[in-house]
Amino acid sequence: MNFKDYGLKTTDTRKKILDILNQSKDPLTAEQIYQLLEDSSVNLSTIYRSLNMFHLKGIINKDLRNDKNAVYSLKKERHQHILVCSSCHKKIYLNKCPYELLIQQVLTETGFLIENHSIELYGLCKDCQKKAII
């Protein structure tokens, strides 16, 4: 990625943050990124500032989890929907977007073009449902 294309100065910290997000399958909190950086010279406020700038420039997604914590992920050509077990925290990734028809219907009925969305659904996985019954 060329930071100059986004009007940003290239720094080692910014490169490392994007590398961490690129390598992660799951969205991460700023605190998780901070722990993964393993660089004691970088403080958490620097990470928050970088993430905020990346979000404003459209480089990353920022979403609020069920627990109200912000999580960050790189914008990719294909977005992801995740089922999260509220008991064991297992994550199940859906292969396709279940909202494609709804998005098209919204455009047809209202003329509103949805550019992006993010959804995590919370519930119990099959294993935890079985445990709850026993």
Side-chain angles (χ1 to χ4, degrees):
M1 182 192 135
N2 188 350
F3 288 96
K4 290 181 182 180
D5 291 344
Y6 293 92
L8 296 173
K9 181 180 172 186
T10 302
T11 67
D12 286 339
T13 301
R14 287 179 177 170
K15 285 194 261 184
K16 289 176 185 177
I17 291 170
L18 288 183
D19 285 343
I20 288 169
L21 289 173
N22 190 41
Q23 292 172 17
S24 178
K25 184 177 179 182
D26 296 322
L28 299 171
T29 64
E31 291 81 7
Q32 289 170 317
I33 294 168
Y34 176 72
Q35 291 171 352
L36 291 169
L37 266 178
E38 298 176 351
D39 184 351
S40 60
S41 67
V42 177
N43 59 37
L44 189 56
S45 63
T46 300
I47 293 169
Y48 273 109
R49 280 193 306 276
S50 295
L51 291 170
N52 186 51
M53 186 58 62
F54 292 156
H55 180 250
L56 290 174
K57 297 289 186 175
I59 300 168
I60 64 173
N61 295 313
K62 176 182 178 182
D63 299 300
L64 284 179
R65 288 191 313 207
N66 196 32
D67 62 5
K68 306 293 186 234
N69 284 319
V71 290
Y72 304 88
S73 61
L74 275 183
K75 283 197 174 183
K76 298 180 179 162
E77 291 195 22
R78 189 172 167 271
H79 63 277
Q80 189 72 53
H81 293 284
I82 306 169
L83 305 175
V84 181
C85 180
S86 52
S87 180
C88 71
H89 307 289
K90 178 166 86 176
K91 294 180 180 180
I92 301 167
Y93 295 85
L94 300 180
N95 291 326
K96 65 178 192 170
C97 177
Y99 302 101
E100 289 173 3
L101 291 175
L102 176 63
I103 290 169
Q104 185 58 46
Q105 183 180 357
V106 168
L107 177 62
T108 301
E109 290 179 8
T110 67
F112 187 85
L113 177 62
I114 296 172
E115 296 176 333
N116 192 12
H117 65 277
S118 174
I119 298 175
E120 284 186 347
L121 302 171
Y122 294 86
L124 294 175
C125 67
K126 288 181 185 179
D127 294 337
C128 289
Q129 289 177 54
K130 288 177 188 174
K131 290 176 191 174
I133 294 172
I134 298 174

